[in-house]
Amino acid sequence: MFYRHSQKGRIAVIIVYVDDIILTGDDVDEIRRLKEHLALEFEIKDLGPLKYFLGMEVARSKKGLVVSQKKYVIDLLKEAGMSGCRPADTPIDPNVKFENKEGRLVDKGQYQRLVGKLIYLSHTRPDIAFAVSLVSQFMHSPMEEHEEAVFRILRYLKSSPGKGFFFKKSEQRGIEAYTDADWAGSITDKRSTSGYCTFVWGNLVTWRSKKQTVVARSSAEAEFRSMAQGICEMVWLKRIMEELRKPITSPMKLYCDSKAAISIAHNPVQHDRTKHVEIDRHFIKEKIEEG
């Protein structure tokens, strides 16, 4: 992604992926000059207002933008031979717990292809992010129960192939993040799963669900690590907004439902109890003091 700033304080943004390019911004003249310059150097085709990009469909209204991957979902179901499958209400059984036990292995290549495409689909479908993060942990030795979980995600997608994002016009001008953690949720290694989602100007823009790299010794520690990841994401988004010349002037807000983790973040007296999360503790404390 590249930025070009004009003397008027406006900006044009170029987003490039291989030979696909998006031009956007609030400076119409600069965008026109960019098109003319690119046409001199390369053979390009102007497709007009953005409608389709890398499998993502874009629709506009007076209230905002809608981004979805309906065609991508339909093609994925067709490839998996599940176009006529019975839809599921949820992407995964909430009580399921995967473990590395003996069982019948399934086609590794097919499993990796399906999960890889689901990972890409989760760019516009945060509702499947947690389920996809679970099945992606067994890419090297998938078994029947893991394959069944992938098929469950596909059956869920069948129920709502056109679901996507709505980026609404808003008067809000802040950044917010919500963090959570599933303490010792994995029965194979007792590691926790962190999750966060961030909102810019009232719209959901990034999210993540991922197993933590170390075993948390308490629920507060698991929540604390998730908070640190959420803050890192907000700091990155704040820098992006500054580059776009839309700086965030108000304090960013982080929401966490763990009173213990919030207490540790605010109270440095808890030092002796938090030596095992010392780096995260100092990082969070520093960002709180910076506002």
Side-chain angles (χ1 to χ4, degrees), residues 1 3 5 11 175 200 233-248:
M1 185 159 61
Y3 308 104
H5 299 277
I11 189 171
I175 294 178
V200 176
E233 188 73 2
M234 287 198 298
V235 170
W236 175 74
L237 286 170
K238 188 180 183 204
R239 289 173 182 166
I240 291 288
M241 297 302 289
E242 288 170 353
E243 290 180 13
L244 292 171
R245 296 195 175 180
K246 300 292 182 182
I248 303 297

PDB file of all heavy atoms in Angstrom, residues 1 3 5 11 175 200 233-248:
ATOM      1  N   MET A   1       0.849  -1.180   0.000  1.00  0.00           N
ATOM      2  CA  MET A   1       0.000   0.000   0.000  1.00  0.00           C
ATOM      3  C   MET A   1       0.887   1.234   0.000  1.00  0.00           C
ATOM      4  O   MET A   1       1.831   1.326   0.775  1.00  0.00           O
ATOM      5  CB  MET A   1      -0.924  -0.010   1.220  1.00  0.00           C
ATOM      6  CG  MET A   1      -1.927   1.134   1.235  1.00  0.00           C
ATOM      7  SD  MET A   1      -3.351   0.805   2.295  1.00  0.00           S
ATOM      8  CE  MET A   1      -2.577   0.625   3.887  1.00  0.00           C
ATOM      9  N   TYR A   3       1.059   5.723  -0.349  1.00  0.00           N
ATOM     10  CA  TYR A   3       0.304   6.949  -0.161  1.00  0.00           C
ATOM     11  C   TYR A   3       0.936   8.079  -0.968  1.00  0.00           C
ATOM     12  O   TYR A   3       2.155   8.173  -1.064  1.00  0.00           O
ATOM     13  CB  TYR A   3       0.283   7.371   1.312  1.00  0.00           C
ATOM     14  CG  TYR A   3      -0.153   6.299   2.262  1.00  0.00           C
ATOM     15  CD1 TYR A   3       0.776   5.628   3.049  1.00  0.00           C
ATOM     16  CD2 TYR A   3      -1.497   5.957   2.391  1.00  0.00           C
ATOM     17  CE1 TYR A   3       0.376   4.630   3.933  1.00  0.00           C
ATOM     18  CE2 TYR A   3      -1.900   4.965   3.263  1.00  0.00           C
ATOM     19  CZ  TYR A   3      -0.960   4.307   4.029  1.00  0.00           C
ATOM     20  OH  TYR A   3      -1.349   3.318   4.906  1.00  0.00           O
ATOM     21  N   HIS A   5       0.512  12.266  -0.980  1.00  0.00           N
ATOM     22  CA  HIS A   5      -0.129  13.418  -0.345  1.00  0.00           C
ATOM     23  C   HIS A   5      -0.049  14.632  -1.268  1.00  0.00           C
ATOM     24  O   HIS A   5       0.984  14.885  -1.884  1.00  0.00           O
ATOM     25  CB  HIS A   5       0.553  13.753   0.983  1.00  0.00           C
ATOM     26  CG  HIS A   5       0.487  12.642   1.978  1.00  0.00           C
ATOM     27  ND1 HIS A   5      -0.601  12.427   2.779  1.00  0.00           N
ATOM     28  CD2 HIS A   5       1.389  11.678   2.306  1.00  0.00           C
ATOM     29  CE1 HIS A   5      -0.375  11.386   3.558  1.00  0.00           C
ATOM     30  NE2 HIS A   5       0.825  10.915   3.286  1.00  0.00           N
ATOM     31  N   ILE A  11      -5.259  13.107   0.124  1.00  0.00           N
ATOM     32  CA  ILE A  11      -4.433  11.917  -0.051  1.00  0.00           C
ATOM     33  C   ILE A  11      -5.014  10.988  -1.108  1.00  0.00           C
ATOM     34  O   ILE A  11      -6.237  10.930  -1.302  1.00  0.00           O
ATOM     35  CB  ILE A  11      -4.313  11.168   1.303  1.00  0.00           C
ATOM     36  CG1 ILE A  11      -3.279  10.053   1.217  1.00  0.00           C
ATOM     37  CG2 ILE A  11      -5.663  10.614   1.740  1.00  0.00           C
ATOM     38  CD1 ILE A  11      -2.960   9.440   2.553  1.00  0.00           C
ATOM     39  N   ILE A 175     -11.075   4.775  18.024  1.00  0.00           N
ATOM     40  CA  ILE A 175     -10.706   3.374  17.862  1.00  0.00           C
ATOM     41  C   ILE A 175     -11.041   2.634  19.143  1.00  0.00           C
ATOM     42  O   ILE A 175     -10.724   3.099  20.237  1.00  0.00           O
ATOM     43  CB  ILE A 175      -9.202   3.228  17.551  1.00  0.00           C
ATOM     44  CG1 ILE A 175      -8.867   3.828  16.182  1.00  0.00           C
ATOM     45  CG2 ILE A 175      -8.777   1.765  17.576  1.00  0.00           C
ATOM     46  CD1 ILE A 175      -7.394   3.759  15.824  1.00  0.00           C
ATOM     47  N   VAL A 200     -12.919   0.897  14.018  1.00  0.00           N
ATOM     48  CA  VAL A 200     -12.447   2.228  13.645  1.00  0.00           C
ATOM     49  C   VAL A 200     -13.643   3.027  13.152  1.00  0.00           C
ATOM     50  O   VAL A 200     -14.348   2.599  12.237  1.00  0.00           O
ATOM     51  CB  VAL A 200     -11.366   2.166  12.548  1.00  0.00           C
ATOM     52  CG1 VAL A 200     -10.956   3.570  12.116  1.00  0.00           C
ATOM     53  CG2 VAL A 200     -10.155   1.391  13.041  1.00  0.00           C
ATOM     54  N   GLU A 233      -2.649  -4.095  18.244  1.00  0.00           N
ATOM     55  CA  GLU A 233      -3.459  -3.874  17.050  1.00  0.00           C
ATOM     56  C   GLU A 233      -3.966  -2.434  16.995  1.00  0.00           C
ATOM     57  O   GLU A 233      -3.960  -1.799  15.930  1.00  0.00           O
ATOM     58  CB  GLU A 233      -4.646  -4.849  17.036  1.00  0.00           C
ATOM     59  CG  GLU A 233      -5.451  -4.851  15.754  1.00  0.00           C
ATOM     60  CD  GLU A 233      -4.737  -5.526  14.596  1.00  0.00           C
ATOM     61  OE1 GLU A 233      -3.617  -6.034  14.790  1.00  0.00           O
ATOM     62  OE2 GLU A 233      -5.297  -5.541  13.482  1.00  0.00           O
ATOM     63  N   MET A 234      -4.394  -1.883  18.136  1.00  0.00           N
ATOM     64  CA  MET A 234      -4.884  -0.510  18.160  1.00  0.00           C
ATOM     65  C   MET A 234      -3.770   0.490  17.843  1.00  0.00           C
ATOM     66  O   MET A 234      -3.987   1.470  17.129  1.00  0.00           O
ATOM     67  CB  MET A 234      -5.500  -0.190  19.533  1.00  0.00           C
ATOM     68  CG  MET A 234      -6.839  -0.840  19.780  1.00  0.00           C
ATOM     69  SD  MET A 234      -7.753  -0.064  21.135  1.00  0.00           S
ATOM     70  CE  MET A 234      -6.653  -0.357  22.513  1.00  0.00           C
ATOM     71  N   VAL A 235      -2.567   0.251  18.371  1.00  0.00           N
ATOM     72  CA  VAL A 235      -1.431   1.134  18.092  1.00  0.00           C
ATOM     73  C   VAL A 235      -1.125   1.126  16.594  1.00  0.00           C
ATOM     74  O   VAL A 235      -0.853   2.174  15.987  1.00  0.00           O
ATOM     75  CB  VAL A 235      -0.191   0.697  18.907  1.00  0.00           C
ATOM     76  CG1 VAL A 235       1.049   1.453  18.448  1.00  0.00           C
ATOM     77  CG2 VAL A 235      -0.421   0.938  20.395  1.00  0.00           C
ATOM     78  N   TRP A 236      -1.169  -0.067  15.969  1.00  0.00           N
ATOM     79  CA  TRP A 236      -0.933  -0.180  14.533  1.00  0.00           C
ATOM     80  C   TRP A 236      -2.005   0.575  13.742  1.00  0.00           C
ATOM     81  O   TRP A 236      -1.686   1.309  12.794  1.00  0.00           O
ATOM     82  CB  TRP A 236      -0.917  -1.655  14.127  1.00  0.00           C
ATOM     83  CG  TRP A 236      -0.788  -1.878  12.655  1.00  0.00           C
ATOM     84  CD1 TRP A 236       0.319  -1.715  11.886  1.00  0.00           C
ATOM     85  CD2 TRP A 236      -1.835  -2.298  11.773  1.00  0.00           C
ATOM     86  NE1 TRP A 236       0.037  -2.021  10.564  1.00  0.00           N
ATOM     87  CE2 TRP A 236      -1.274  -2.378  10.474  1.00  0.00           C
ATOM     88  CE3 TRP A 236      -3.181  -2.635  11.953  1.00  0.00           C
ATOM     89  CZ2 TRP A 236      -2.011  -2.768   9.363  1.00  0.00           C
ATOM     90  CZ3 TRP A 236      -3.915  -3.026  10.849  1.00  0.00           C
ATOM     91  CH2 TRP A 236      -3.333  -3.086   9.572  1.00  0.00           C
ATOM     92  N   LEU A 237      -3.274   0.426  14.136  1.00  0.00           N
ATOM     93  CA  LEU A 237      -4.359   1.124  13.444  1.00  0.00           C
ATOM     94  C   LEU A 237      -4.230   2.636  13.597  1.00  0.00           C
ATOM     95  O   LEU A 237      -4.508   3.396  12.653  1.00  0.00           O
ATOM     96  CB  LEU A 237      -5.716   0.660  13.991  1.00  0.00           C
ATOM     97  CG  LEU A 237      -6.173  -0.734  13.567  1.00  0.00           C
ATOM     98  CD1 LEU A 237      -7.393  -1.159  14.365  1.00  0.00           C
ATOM     99  CD2 LEU A 237      -6.478  -0.773  12.075  1.00  0.00           C
ATOM    100  N   LYS A 238      -3.792   3.075  14.761  1.00  0.00           N
ATOM    101  CA  LYS A 238      -3.609   4.509  14.981  1.00  0.00           C
ATOM    102  C   LYS A 238      -2.551   5.073  14.030  1.00  0.00           C
ATOM    103  O   LYS A 238      -2.712   6.164  13.474  1.00  0.00           O
ATOM    104  CB  LYS A 238      -3.201   4.763  16.436  1.00  0.00           C
ATOM    105  CG  LYS A 238      -3.176   6.240  16.802  1.00  0.00           C
ATOM    106  CD  LYS A 238      -2.770   6.458  18.234  1.00  0.00           C
ATOM    107  CE  LYS A 238      -2.831   7.942  18.565  1.00  0.00           C
ATOM    108  NZ  LYS A 238      -1.975   8.319  19.667  1.00  0.00           N
ATOM    109  N   ARG A 239      -1.474   4.314  13.827  1.00  0.00           N
ATOM    110  CA  ARG A 239      -0.428   4.751  12.893  1.00  0.00           C
ATOM    111  C   ARG A 239      -0.944   4.796  11.463  1.00  0.00           C
ATOM    112  O   ARG A 239      -0.612   5.707  10.693  1.00  0.00           O
ATOM    113  CB  ARG A 239       0.773   3.812  12.988  1.00  0.00           C
ATOM    114  CG  ARG A 239       1.554   3.953  14.292  1.00  0.00           C
ATOM    115  CD  ARG A 239       2.626   2.896  14.403  1.00  0.00           C
ATOM    116  NE  ARG A 239       3.343   3.004  15.675  1.00  0.00           N
ATOM    117  CZ  ARG A 239       4.137   2.061  16.164  1.00  0.00           C
ATOM    118  NH1 ARG A 239       4.307   0.936  15.484  1.00  0.00           N
ATOM    119  NH2 ARG A 239       4.765   2.229  17.312  1.00  0.00           N
ATOM    120  N   ILE A 240      -1.757   3.807  11.094  1.00  0.00           N
ATOM    121  CA  ILE A 240      -2.351   3.797   9.749  1.00  0.00           C
ATOM    122  C   ILE A 240      -3.209   5.051   9.549  1.00  0.00           C
ATOM    123  O   ILE A 240      -3.142   5.708   8.504  1.00  0.00           O
ATOM    124  CB  ILE A 240      -3.212   2.534   9.543  1.00  0.00           C
ATOM    125  CG1 ILE A 240      -2.335   1.288   9.471  1.00  0.00           C
ATOM    126  CG2 ILE A 240      -4.072   2.657   8.277  1.00  0.00           C
ATOM    127  CD1 ILE A 240      -1.526   1.153   8.209  1.00  0.00           C
ATOM    128  N   MET A 241      -4.020   5.396  10.544  1.00  0.00           N
ATOM    129  CA  MET A 241      -4.882   6.574  10.442  1.00  0.00           C
ATOM    130  C   MET A 241      -4.065   7.860  10.345  1.00  0.00           C
ATOM    131  O   MET A 241      -4.447   8.797   9.641  1.00  0.00           O
ATOM    132  CB  MET A 241      -5.839   6.632  11.630  1.00  0.00           C
ATOM    133  CG  MET A 241      -6.806   5.461  11.717  1.00  0.00           C
ATOM    134  SD  MET A 241      -7.829   5.274  10.234  1.00  0.00           S
ATOM    135  CE  MET A 241      -8.908   6.702  10.408  1.00  0.00           C
ATOM    136  N   GLU A 242      -2.933   7.898  11.030  1.00  0.00           N
ATOM    137  CA  GLU A 242      -2.055   9.070  10.928  1.00  0.00           C
ATOM    138  C   GLU A 242      -1.468   9.189   9.526  1.00  0.00           C
ATOM    139  O   GLU A 242      -1.349  10.288   8.984  1.00  0.00           O
ATOM    140  CB  GLU A 242      -0.944   8.976  11.979  1.00  0.00           C
ATOM    141  CG  GLU A 242      -1.439   9.207  13.410  1.00  0.00           C
ATOM    142  CD  GLU A 242      -0.390   8.879  14.447  1.00  0.00           C
ATOM    143  OE1 GLU A 242       0.683   8.339  14.071  1.00  0.00           O
ATOM    144  OE2 GLU A 242      -0.635   9.138  15.645  1.00  0.00           O
ATOM    145  N   GLU A 243      -1.095   8.058   8.922  1.00  0.00           N
ATOM    146  CA  GLU A 243      -0.571   8.080   7.559  1.00  0.00           C
ATOM    147  C   GLU A 243      -1.646   8.523   6.564  1.00  0.00           C
ATOM    148  O   GLU A 243      -1.347   9.157   5.549  1.00  0.00           O
ATOM    149  CB  GLU A 243      -0.043   6.701   7.179  1.00  0.00           C
ATOM    150  CG  GLU A 243       1.226   6.306   7.916  1.00  0.00           C
ATOM    151  CD  GLU A 243       1.716   4.928   7.516  1.00  0.00           C
ATOM    152  OE1 GLU A 243       1.218   4.396   6.499  1.00  0.00           O
ATOM    153  OE2 GLU A 243       2.586   4.377   8.207  1.00  0.00           O
ATOM    154  N   LEU A 244      -2.899   8.191   6.873  1.00  0.00           N
ATOM    155  CA  LEU A 244      -4.018   8.611   6.028  1.00  0.00           C
ATOM    156  C   LEU A 244      -4.467  10.037   6.326  1.00  0.00           C
ATOM    157  O   LEU A 244      -5.452  10.520   5.762  1.00  0.00           O
ATOM    158  CB  LEU A 244      -5.204   7.654   6.225  1.00  0.00           C
ATOM    159  CG  LEU A 244      -5.023   6.229   5.703  1.00  0.00           C
ATOM    160  CD1 LEU A 244      -6.160   5.338   6.161  1.00  0.00           C
ATOM    161  CD2 LEU A 244      -4.923   6.222   4.188  1.00  0.00           C
ATOM    162  N   ARG A 245      -3.728  10.701   7.241  1.00  0.00           N
ATOM    163  CA  ARG A 245      -4.042  12.067   7.673  1.00  0.00           C
ATOM    164  C   ARG A 245      -5.426  12.176   8.291  1.00  0.00           C
ATOM    165  O   ARG A 245      -6.147  13.160   8.101  1.00  0.00           O
ATOM    166  CB  ARG A 245      -3.876  13.040   6.493  1.00  0.00           C
ATOM    167  CG  ARG A 245      -2.426  13.117   6.010  1.00  0.00           C
ATOM    168  CD  ARG A 245      -2.182  14.301   5.111  1.00  0.00           C
ATOM    169  NE  ARG A 245      -0.773  14.420   4.770  1.00  0.00           N
ATOM    170  CZ  ARG A 245      -0.273  15.366   3.988  1.00  0.00           C
ATOM    171  NH1 ARG A 245      -1.077  16.268   3.466  1.00  0.00           N
ATOM    172  NH2 ARG A 245       1.030  15.407   3.730  1.00  0.00           N
ATOM    173  N   LYS A 246      -5.808  11.137   9.002  1.00  0.00           N
ATOM    174  CA  LYS A 246      -7.045  11.133   9.777  1.00  0.00           C
ATOM    175  C   LYS A 246      -6.689  10.723  11.220  1.00  0.00           C
ATOM    176  O   LYS A 246      -7.111   9.669  11.702  1.00  0.00           O
ATOM    177  CB  LYS A 246      -8.060  10.154   9.189  1.00  0.00           C
ATOM    178  CG  LYS A 246      -8.469  10.444   7.762  1.00  0.00           C
ATOM    179  CD  LYS A 246      -9.286  11.716   7.650  1.00  0.00           C
ATOM    180  CE  LYS A 246      -9.722  11.946   6.208  1.00  0.00           C
ATOM    181  NZ  LYS A 246     -10.484  13.221   6.060  1.00  0.00           N
ATOM    182  N   PRO A 247      -5.872  11.538  11.910  1.00  0.00           N
ATOM    183  CA  PRO A 247      -5.364  11.122  13.226  1.00  0.00           C
ATOM    184  C   PRO A 247      -6.473  10.945  14.253  1.00  0.00           C
ATOM    185  O   PRO A 247      -7.497  11.632  14.219  1.00  0.00           O
ATOM    186  CB  PRO A 247      -4.418  12.261  13.615  1.00  0.00           C
ATOM    187  CG  PRO A 247      -4.919  13.445  12.847  1.00  0.00           C
ATOM    188  CD  PRO A 247      -5.439  12.901  11.551  1.00  0.00           C
ATOM    189  N   ILE A 248      -6.252   9.992  15.157  1.00  0.00           N
ATOM    190  CA  ILE A 248      -7.176   9.754  16.264  1.00  0.00           C
ATOM    191  C   ILE A 248      -6.720  10.614  17.442  1.00  0.00           C
ATOM    192  O   ILE A 248      -5.637  10.414  17.984  1.00  0.00           O
ATOM    193  CB  ILE A 248      -7.190   8.260  16.663  1.00  0.00           C
ATOM    194  CG1 ILE A 248      -7.549   7.386  15.457  1.00  0.00           C
ATOM    195  CG2 ILE A 248      -8.139   8.017  17.816  1.00  0.00           C
ATOM    196  CD1 ILE A 248      -8.932   7.632  14.895  1.00  0.00           C
TER     197      ILE A 248
END
